[in-house]
C-alpha cells in the first residue's frame, strides 16, 4: 500500500487519515523539502562541510530539534519506519512529541526498536546496536561550528574550513589538557571527516565517536537555528582529533548496567533516593530492554521489568 | 649576509576613496635590519604597515618578499593559504592593542602554542615545552603558563604577544606601536627585551612608532613620514642627530632627549 | 706602514646645518676638509671648541651628513665613501671597521659591566673566552673596581661610567678608531692608562683620529695635529 502512495508524490496525503489531511506530507511543503534535499545532497557530496539552508519556522521552539525535524521531514518517505530518541531514550517528552508529530503529519510507522527503524532521529546519542546499510541517522544540532569556541567570526571560521586550517581546534584540546591534565571534552568532541573537514558531531558523548567511523548508515546533521546541514556518507572515515601523547580515548564505566548487565555500553546515572542511593543503567533504553527480553539481568534488576519502570 | 633584500617595496600607494593613505613608498629591507617608520598619527605609517603585512591591498605599487625557499614572490600574488602560512611562520605581528594580537580567553601556553599547532605540531608535551621556553625568554614566570592574558598586566601582554610571534622563528616581524600606552618603566623593560631578542635572533623588524626614543633604541634605519609620503630616510642616528627636513627637525626638537 | 693607502681620507668635505625652525638659518661648520690617517697613525684634531672637530668625527662615523666632498674609509680591499654610502654599508663599517668612543656611556640598561665590555669585543668575532679576558684586563687597567663588574653601570659615578665606556670602546680590534674627547675630566692616573692603551692600539696598526682636550694626552699620543681652524667657513652668524 505504502509503495503505491509513493507514486502519488508530491501530494500523498490522501491515505494518511483524516487528521492528517490538513497537512502536506511530513508537514513541510514540497518546495521546502526539495530545497532541503538539495542541501543534503551537497552535504553528502562534501562530507563534513556545513551547507547553509533556508531553515523554516517549525511548530516547536528552537533547541527542540527544529533542524533535525526539517531534515527528517525532507527525507522521510511513506514507507519509512521512524524511531526518535533523546539522550538514548525513546520515551522522553521530546522524543515522544517528535514521533507523534510525524505520525500525525506523515502517517508513517514508528518504532522504538533500532533494528526495525529505517530512519532514526536522535538528540545526543548513537544507538548501541550497530547501524546497517540503508538506515539514516538524523542528528539534532544546536551549534554546528566546531571552531566557534575560539573564533566568534563566521567569516573567519569559514575561511579556516576552506583552508583546512585546524590548528585552532587543537588549541581547544590543548587548553583542556592544560587545565585538567587530560582532554576533558566529553561531549561534542571534534572529528575530522574523510581526511578533510573538521566537524562537530553534535553533543553526543565522545563515547559514540567511534561508532561514526565507517558507519554503514547515512548520518545527517541538522541545525535549525544556525541554518546548517552537514553529513557523513556511509562507510566514511571519521577520526577524533587528539595529540600524539594524549590519544583519543572513550569513557569507560566501572560497572555493568544495573538492569541488563551489559558491559561496554554508555550508562546514565539514576538517583534512587535522597540518601545517596543510585544506579547506573544503559542510556539506550531500547538496547537495555532487548537484552532484558533476551534474559540478561543486572545487579539491581527485579524480576520482570519492575526496575525499568522507575525510569 | 646575502645581498638580496628580504623585502622590497616599490611605489606603494594607497587611497581610501579620495583620501590618501600613503603614496609612492619605496625601500628595501635586508635580513637582520630594523627599520623604524616614524611620524604623527595620520602620517600614513599604519597604512604602510598594513600594506606591507598584506592586510591592505595597495592602490598601486608592489611588495616583493624572499620566501624561506629563496623564491622572491610578489605578495599580491600569494594565495590565501600561502599568505596565512607566511603570516604565522616567517612573519610576526606585534600589535599595539594586545587584545587584537592575543586570544584573551586562551591560556598563555595556548597562545604561544597556537602557531605551532597551526603548522601541524600534534605533540602536547613538545608544544608545552616550547611554550614554556618562550615564556621564560620573555620573562613571564613559569607559573603563569595556564593563566589567560586577561589576568596579565599591559607589559606582560605585550611580552606574551612577542613570545607568540617568535615561537615559529620568523625572519620578519611587524610591530605597531608596541610600547605605547605602557608605563615608562614597563616600556623600558619591553624595549630592552625586544632589542635583545632582535639582536640574538637576527630578526628583520619594521616598527611603526611615533616615539623617537623607541626608534633610537631599536632601529638601524628610520623613515620619516608626513601626509602619506616618506620625507626623510637614513641611518637612525643620522636622521635624529642631523635631521635635514624642516618637519624632521620639528619632530626631533619637540622630544626631550631623544 | 704609513706608505700604504690611508685608512681614512677626507677630500674637500663641507658641512653646514640649515635650521628650518629658525627661518632657514644656515650655520656653516667646516669647509673643504682634507686630511688622511694611515694605519698605526694617531692624528689629533686641534682648534678651539666650536671649530667643528666633533662634527668631522661624526661625519666620518656617518652620524652627520656631509654636504659636499668624499669621506673614504678603507674596508679591507674596498674603499667606501661614507658620504654617499647606503645606511646598510655604513652599519657594516661600524661593525667591522670603525669604532667611536665618546665620553658618554650609552648602553643597554640591565647588562652587567663585564658583559658590556666583553660583548663589544665579541662584535668583532673574538671568542667568548678571549673576550672575557680582554674585558677583565681593560676594566682593571682603567681602575674600575672588580666588585662593580657584575653590576650594570647605570648606578656608577660619572667617572666610572666614562671608564667603562673607554674599556668598551677599546675592547674590539677595529682598524679605525674615532676618539671624541674620551679623556675629558679623567684624573691624571687614568689619563695615563688611556695614553698607554692608545699606544698599544697604534702598535697594532690602528688608524686613530681623535680630539683630546688635555694638552698632556695630546702631546703623548699625536703623530700629527691637524688644526681645524684652517677649514673654518665664513660664518653666517
Amino acid at each position: 500500500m505504502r509503495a503505491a502512495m509513493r507514486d502519488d508524490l508530491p501530494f500523498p496525503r490522501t491515505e494518511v487519515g483524516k487528521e492528517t489531511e490538513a497537512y502536506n506530507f511530513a508537514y513541510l511543503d514540497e518546495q521546502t523539502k526539495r530545497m532541503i534535499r538539495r542541501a543534503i545532497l551537497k552535504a553528502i557530496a562534501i562530507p563534513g562541510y556545513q551547507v547553509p539552508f533556508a531553515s523554516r519556522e517549525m511548530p516547536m521552539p528552537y533547541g527542540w530539534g527544529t533542524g533535525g525535524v526539517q531534515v527528517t521531514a525532507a527525507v522521510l518517505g511513506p514507507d519509512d519506519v521512524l524511531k526518535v530518541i533523546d539522550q538514548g531514550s525513546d520515551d522522553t517528552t521530546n522524543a515522544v512529541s517528535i514521533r507523534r508529530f510525524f505520525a500525525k503529519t506523515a502517517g508513517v510507522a514508528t518504532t522504538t526498536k533500532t533494528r526495525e527503524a529505517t530512519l532514526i532521529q536522535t538528540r545526543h546519542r548513537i544507538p548501541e546496536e550497530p547501524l546497517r546499510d540503508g538506515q539514516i541517522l538524523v542528528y539534532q544540532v544546536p551549534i554546528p561550528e566546531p571552531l566557534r569556541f575560539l573564533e566568534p567570526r563566521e567569516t573567519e571560521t569559514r575561511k579556516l574550513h576552506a583552508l583546512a586550517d585546524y590548528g585552532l581546534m587543537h588549541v581547544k584540546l590543548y587548553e583542556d589538557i592544560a587545565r585538567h591534565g587530560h582532554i576533558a571534552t566529553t561531549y561534542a568532541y571534534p572529528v575530522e571527516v574523510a581526511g578533510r573537514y573538521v566537524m562537530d558531531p553534535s553533543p553526543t558523548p565522545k563515547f559514540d565517536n567511534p561508532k561514526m567511523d565507517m558507519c554503514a548508515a547515512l548520518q545527517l546533521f541538522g541545525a535549525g537555528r544556525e541554518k546548517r546541514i552537514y553529513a557523513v556518507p556511509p562507510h566514511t572515515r571519521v577520526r577524533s582529533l587528539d595529540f600524539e601523547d594524549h590519544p583519543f580515548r572513550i569513557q569507560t564505566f566501572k560497572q555493568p548496567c544495573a538492569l541488563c548487565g551489559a558491559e561496554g555500553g554508555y550508562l546514565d546515572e539514576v538517583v534512587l533516593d535522597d540518601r545517596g542511593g543510585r544506579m547506573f543503567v544503559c542510556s539506550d533504553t531500547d538496547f537495555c530492554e532487548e537484552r532484558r527480553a533476551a534474559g540478561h539481568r543486572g545487579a539491581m534488576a527485579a524480576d520482570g521489568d519492575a526496575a525499568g519502570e522507575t525510569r | 649576509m646575502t645581498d638580496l633584500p628580504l623585502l622590497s617595496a616599490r611605489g606603494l600607494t594607497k587611497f581610501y576613496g579620495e583620501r590618501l593613505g600613503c603614496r609612492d613608498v619605496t625601500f628595501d629591507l635586508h635580513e637582520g635590519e630594523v627599520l623604524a617608520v616614524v611620524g604623527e598619527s595620520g602620517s600614513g605609517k599604519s597604512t604602510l604597515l598594513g600594506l606591507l603585512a598584506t592586510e591592505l591591498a595597495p592602490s598601486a605599487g608592489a611588495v616583493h618578499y624572499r620566501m624561506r625557499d629563496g623564491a622572491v614572490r610578489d605578495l599580491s600574488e600569494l594565495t590565501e593559504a600561502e599568505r596565512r602560512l607566511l603570516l604565522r611562520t616567517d612573519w610576526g605581528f606585534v600589535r599595539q592593542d594586545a587584545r587584537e594580537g592575543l586570544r584573551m580567553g586562551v591560556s598563555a601556553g595556548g597562545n604561544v602554542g597556537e602557531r605551532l599547532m597551526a603548522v601541524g605540531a600534534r605533540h602536547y608535551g613538545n608544544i608545552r615545552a616550547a611554550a614554556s621556553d618562550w615564556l621564560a625568554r620573555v620573562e613571564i614566570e613559569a607559573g603563569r603558563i595556564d593563566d589567560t592574558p586577561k589576568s596579565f598586566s599591559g607589559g606582560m601582554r605585550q611580552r606574551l604577544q612577542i613570545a607568540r610571534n617568535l615561537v615559529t622563528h620568523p625572519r620578519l616581524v611587524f610591530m605597531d606601536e608596541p610600547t605605547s600606552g605602557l608605563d615608562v618603566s614597563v616600556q623600558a623593560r619591553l624595549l630592552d627585551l625586544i632589542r635583545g631578542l632582535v639582536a640574538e635572533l637576527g630578526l628583520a623588524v619594521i616598527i611603526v612608532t611615533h616615539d623617537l626614543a623607541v626608534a633610537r633604541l631599536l632601529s638601524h634605519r628610520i623613515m620619516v613620514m608626513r601626509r602619506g609620503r616618506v620625507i626623510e630616510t637614513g641611518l637612525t642616528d643620522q636622521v635624529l642627530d642631523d635631521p635635514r627636513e624642516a618637519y624632521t627637525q620639528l619632530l626631533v626638537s619637540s622630544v626631550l632627549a631623544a | 706602514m704609513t706608505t700604504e693607502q690611508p685608512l681614512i681620507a677626507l677630500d674637500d668635505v663641507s658641512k653646514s646645518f640649515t635650521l628650518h625652525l629658525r627661518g632657514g638659518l644656515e650655520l656653516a661648520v667646516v669647509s673643504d676638509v682634507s686630511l688622511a690617517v694611515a694605519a698605526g697613525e694617531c692624528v689629533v684634531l686641534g682648534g678651539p671648541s666650536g671649530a667643528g672637530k666633533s662634527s668631522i668625527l661624526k661625519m666620518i662615523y656617518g652620524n652627520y651628513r656631509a654636504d659636499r666632498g668624499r669621506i673614504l674609509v678603507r674596508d679591507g680591499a674596498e674603499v667606501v665613501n661614507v658620504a654617499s654610502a647606503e645606511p646598510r654599508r655604513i652599519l657594516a663599517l661600524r661593525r667591522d671597521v670603525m669604532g667611536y668612543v665618546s665620553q658618554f656611556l650609552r648602553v643597554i640598561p640591565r647588562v652587567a659591566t663585564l658583559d658590556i665590555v666583553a660583548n663589544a669585543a665579541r662584535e668583532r668575532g673574538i671568542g667568548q673566552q678571549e673576550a672575557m679576558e680582554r674585558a677583565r684586563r681593560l676594566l682593571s687597567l682603567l681602575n674600575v673596581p672588580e666588585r662593580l663588574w657584575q653590576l650594570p653601570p647605570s648606578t656608577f659615578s660619572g667617572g666610572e661610567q666614562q671608564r667603562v665606556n673607554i674599556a668598551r670602546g677599546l675592547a674590539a680590534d677595529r682598524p679605525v678608531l674615532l676618539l671624541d674627547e674620551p679623556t675629558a675630566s679623567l684624573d691624571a692616573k687614568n689619563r695615563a692608562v688611556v695614553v698607554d692603551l692608545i699606544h698599544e692600539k697604534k702598535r697594532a696598526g690602528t688608524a686613530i683620529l681623535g680630539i683630546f682636550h688635555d694638552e698632556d694626552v695630546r702631546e703623548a699620543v699625536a703623530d700629527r695635529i691637524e688644526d681645524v681652524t684652517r677649514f673654518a667657513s665664513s660664518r653666517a652668524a
Side-chain angles (χ1 to χ4, degrees), chain B residues 195 232 237 242 244 249, chain C residues 15 18 20 63 65 108:
Chain B
R195 181 147 99 163
E232 184 160 3
D237 59 296
D242 184 10
R244 182 178 292 162
Q249 289 185 2
Chain C
K15 172 70 188 166
T18 306
H20 292 288
N63 181 217
R65 303 175 227 238
I108 312 163

Side-chain angles (χ1 to χ4, degrees), chain A residues 107-142:
Chain A
V108 293
T110 60
T111 182
T112 58
K113 303 223 173 303
T114 299
R115 196 172 311 137
E116 288 173 8
T118 57
L119 202 166
I120 304 168
Q121 178 169 335
T122 178
R123 177 172 171 271
H124 307 183
R125 271 314 308 277
I126 299 175
E128 302 290 1
E129 185 171 319
L131 300 178
R132 54 177 162 75
D133 284 333
Q135 285 183 313
I136 299 176
L137 185 59
V138 175
Y139 296 76
Q140 299 171 204
V141 181

Side-chain angles (χ1 to χ4, degrees), chain A residues 15 25 33 49 53 85 143 146 152 165 168 177 189 192 199 292 298 309:
Chain A
E15 284 196 37
F25 179 76
K33 286 193 279 186
Y49 173 75
F53 80 110
I85 49 173
I143 297 165
D165 192 348
L168 205 51
I177 304 174
Y189 191 104
E192 178 202 81
M199 180 186 96
R292 276 177 281 154
E309 285 166 13

Side-chain angles (χ1 to χ4, degrees), chain B residues 7-229:
Chain B
L7 178 140
S8 18
R10 292 290 174 271
L12 267 188
T13 300
K14 176 72 181 177
F15 280 95
Y16 300 98
E18 291 287 292
R19 196 164 59 81
L20 176 67
C22 70
R23 177 161 227 167
D24 205 22
V25 178
T26 293
F27 70 93
D28 284 344
L29 185 78
H30 288 80
E31 259 156 293
E33 268 189 320
V34 180
L35 172 70
V37 182
V38 302
E40 50 200 22
S41 31
S43 63
K45 56 193 197 307
S46 294
T47 296
L48 176 62
L49 200 66
L51 291 172
L52 296 170
T54 71
E55 290 185 341
L56 296 171
S59 310
V63 184
H64 283 83
Y65 184 74
R66 181 159 49 81
M67 312 290 275
R68 281 188 178 180
D69 63 5
V72 175
R73 300 284 304 273
D74 180 339
L75 292 183
S76 67
E77 286 168 7
L78 295 184
T79 64
E80 178 67 12
E82 286 175 321
R83 197 181 74 85
R84 283 177 173 248
L85 186 68
L86 187 64
L87 271 164
R88 64 180 175 216
T89 52
D90 211 20
W91 285 5
F93 203 137
V94 178
R95 297 177 192 276
Q96 175 176 5
D97 184 350
R99 283 169 301 184
E100 287 173 26
L102 294 172
R103 291 196 188 277
M104 297 305 281
V106 169
S107 69
N111 263 291
V112 178
E114 180 176 348
R115 272 178 165 237
L116 297 174
M117 290 182 252
V119 294
R122 293 292 180 266
H123 190 285
Y124 175 83
N126 294 349
I127 293 164
R128 196 165 171 84
S132 32
D133 177 43
W134 271 100
L135 291 178
R137 292 176 79 165
V138 299
E139 300 167 19
I140 292 175
E141 290 167 56
R144 305 300 301 270
I145 189 169
D146 294 330
D147 295 345
T148 65
K150 280 180 198 150
S151 67
F152 285 11
S153 67
M156 276 174 80
R157 288 179 184 180
Q158 292 307 66
R159 281 182 274 133
L160 180 59
Q161 264 205 90
I162 290 166
R164 172 177 160 90
N165 276 284
L166 296 189
V167 68
T168 53
H169 302 284
R171 290 185 300 164
L172 172 60
V173 179
F174 301 101
M175 298 187 183
D176 187 6
E177 305 272 12
T179 59
S180 67
L182 300 176
D183 291 345
V184 178
S185 62
V186 176
Q187 265 192 32
R189 184 177 175 195
L190 183 64
L191 287 171
D192 238 27
L193 178 82
I194 294 175
R195 181 147 99 163
L197 287 171
V198 164
E200 182 191 334
L201 304 170
L203 295 176
V205 176
I206 297 176
I207 179 169
V208 159
T209 178
H210 67 277
D211 186 341
L212 297 184
V214 170
R216 161 90 77 184
L217 198 66
L218 291 181
S219 70
H220 302 123
R221 282 198 293 142
I222 214 168
M223 271 191 339
V224 183
M225 291 192 73
R226 189 186 191 208
R227 294 181 186 154
R229 291 170 188 272

